[in-house]
């Protein structure tokens, strides 16, 4: 039986969604974020040394990293579903977006989260003005322009095909859902991003997505 080590409001929601798309049986072991720091509890380090979610166990296998988990599930249990055929342009695009989601899209969104907290979080009064000025500067000169560039890019790419790898829905769309949801929470998607907004509406309407949220619990990403 596959066990998903699931942290609330996190990337592990993607794994539940993938399992629902494939109609596989699984069980969930739940972990709660620290409400102040949002970090995972120490128990998760007993499952994997990094103590991050998602992690799955499947028989003797313990596997972390959401992209690796989705790949494993598609290859081990997919029977051709959610994975474009080898040797096709769709497969190359699928590989690209599987890596792009965590390798390129997420870093500026994570930096935004961290520097927003530096700007607004509690700190000793004598360093506050300097820390806030530095945070604002890093955000406006680097982080926000980077996020805009990524959003423009993803918007344009979704103008070429219905889904990220092509006309068919694949695991790359599940992987890409997290940066797009994080962008919606952290910078808001406005009328300049109709394709990204439509992407979110289409994934939210999928039966498997709904079942995953029902089982996994609320999926509100940190702002
Ligand atoms: N690149 C990894 C990132 C894993 C990760 O950072 N997970 C977050 C949840 S979205 C986490 O566990 N955060 C809690 C912590 O760092 O303590 C993946 O895609 O699985």
């Amino acid at each position: 039986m596959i066990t998903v080590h699931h942290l609330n409001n996190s990337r592990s929601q993607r794994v539940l969604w993938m399992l629902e798309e494939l109609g596989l049986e699984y069980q969930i072991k739940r972990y709660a974020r620290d409400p102040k720091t949002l970090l995972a509890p120490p128990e998760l380090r007993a499952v994997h040394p990094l103590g991050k979610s998602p992690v799955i166990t499947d028989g003797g296998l313990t596997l972390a990293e959401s992209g690796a988990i989705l790949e494993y599930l598609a290859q081990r249990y997919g029977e051709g579903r959610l994975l474009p055929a080898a040797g096709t342009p769709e497969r190359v695009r699928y590989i690209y977006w599987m890596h792009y989601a965590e390798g390129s899209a997420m870093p500026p969104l994570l930096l935004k989260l961290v520097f927003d907290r530096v700007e607004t979080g509690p700190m000793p009064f004598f360093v506050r003005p300097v820390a806030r000025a530095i945070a604002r500067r890093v955000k406006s000169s680097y982080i926000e322009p980077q996020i805009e560039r990524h959003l423009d890019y993803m918007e344009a790419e979704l103008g070429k095909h219905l889904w990220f790898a092509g006309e068919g829905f694949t695991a790359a769309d599940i992987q890409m859902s997290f940066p797009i949801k994080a962008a919606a929470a952290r910078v808001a998607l406005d009328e300049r991003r109709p394709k990204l907004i439509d992407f979110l509406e289409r994934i939210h309407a999928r039966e498997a997505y709904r079942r995953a949220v029902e089982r996994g619990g609320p999926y509100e990403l940190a702002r």
Side-chain angles (χ1 to χ4, degrees):
M1 169 80 81
I2 298 167
T3 301
V4 182
H5 296 267
H6 176 62
L7 186 66
N8 57 310
N9 299 321
S10 84
R11 287 164 169 88
S12 51
Q13 193 66 42
R14 282 187 295 203
V15 174
L16 305 184
W17 179 18
M18 177 78 180
L19 288 159
E20 291 289 343
E21 290 281 353
L22 293 176
L24 297 175
E25 274 187 39
Y26 62 97
Q27 61 186 15
I28 299 177
K29 184 154 178 0
R30 294 173 194 277
Y31 301 81
R33 286 182 190 268
D34 180 300
K36 266 203 188 134
T37 62
L38 297 183
L39 293 176
E43 301 92 85
L44 204 43
R45 291 193 67 184
V47 185
H48 185 278
L50 296 180
K52 307 256 177 216
S53 175
V55 178
I56 63 160
T57 47
D58 185 15
L61 172 77
T62 300
L63 187 61
E65 202 61 48
S66 46
I69 295 170
L70 299 193
E71 288 272 21
Y72 167 75
L73 293 174
Q75 287 178 28
R76 171 83 174 76
Y77 298 107
E79 296 168 345
R81 290 170 296 162
L82 305 184
L83 178 68
T88 61
E90 285 80 4
R91 180 64 163 260
V92 178
R93 287 198 291 268
Y94 161 91
I95 295 169
Y96 173 77
W97 293 110
M98 287 299 282
H99 287 264
Y100 168 88
E102 290 292 326
S104 291
M106 280 312 295
L109 288 160
L110 178 62
L111 283 174
K112 170 99 168 67
L113 185 69
V114 171
F115 277 86
D116 278 348
R117 268 152 214 247
V118 173
E119 197 179 342
T120 57
M123 69 181 72
F125 75 92
F126 50 91
V127 291
R128 200 177 298 150
V130 178
R132 289 188 176 166
I134 293 172
R136 274 196 290 273
R137 174 119 184 116
V138 175
K139 277 167 48 181
S140 65
S141 65
Y142 178 71
I143 299 171
E144 286 160 359
Q146 286 291 319
I147 292 175
E148 284 298 301
R149 195 186 295 179
H150 280 282
L151 292 179
D152 286 345
Y153 173 55
M154 291 186 267
E155 178 72 26
E157 289 293 310
L158 275 182
K160 297 179 185 169
H161 314 278
L162 185 61
W163 298 103
F164 277 100
E167 297 313 315
F169 177 81
T170 70
D173 298 298
I174 298 179
Q175 183 71 348
M176 281 298 295
S177 66
F178 192 81
I180 297 175
K181 283 183 82 70
R186 286 168 207 170
V187 295
L189 299 176
D190 59 22
E191 66 288 347
R192 293 172 304 149
R193 319 284 186 213
K195 299 282 183 202
L196 296 182
I197 292 170
D198 178 60
F199 174 84
L200 287 180
E201 284 169 0
R202 283 185 286 128
I203 63 170
H204 293 161
R206 290 181 79 85
E207 284 296 316
Y209 181 95
R210 287 165 187 233
R211 283 197 302 274
V213 173
E214 237 164 65
R215 276 194 72 175
Y219 185 24
E220 299 293 329
L221 298 188
R223 291 170 188 275

